[in-house]
Amino acid sequence: MPIETTEAFRVLRMDEPMYGCEELPEDAPLLCEILLEGPGSRRVVTCPDALLTQRGIQEGDAVQLLADGTLQKLP
């Protein structure tokens, strides 16, 4: 899988969006907003919660942003 950047980011915060009184549609994946911090910058990305769980990504982890917009945990 190609990597968009070789720059490493640290996961500062992982938040599930608030849907208010509306429920998430039955077939829609639960998405998390991830606050990343890299050298001299911060950015927010959205990633499926199931993928974060599958890849073992948690707050404080070092990650890379892949070309498909998902995150890959670094060793």
Side-chain angles (χ1 to χ4, degrees), residues 2-54:
I3 295 176
E4 180 178 297
T5 178
T6 57
E7 186 176 19
F9 293 92
R10 176 110 11 234
V11 177
L12 294 182
R13 193 174 68 236
M14 301 171 72
D15 294 318
E16 292 179 8
M18 298 302 217
Y19 295 99
C21 60
E22 296 181 24
E23 291 187 24
L24 186 65
E26 195 172 305
D27 59 342
L30 179 62
L31 299 175
C32 289
E33 291 181 350
I34 315 299
L35 175 61
L36 302 173
E37 182 175 53
S41 67
R42 287 187 175 186
R43 65 190 302 178
V44 175
V45 297
T46 303
C47 195
D49 182 63
L51 185 66
L52 296 168
T53 300
Q54 177 188 29

Side-chain angles (χ1 to χ4, degrees), residues 47-66:
C47 195
D49 182 63
L51 185 66
L52 296 168
T53 300
Q54 177 188 29
R55 295 183 180 175
I57 297 173
Q58 300 177 6
E59 289 182 359
D61 286 343
V63 296
Q64 282 185 316
L65 185 61
L66 303 179

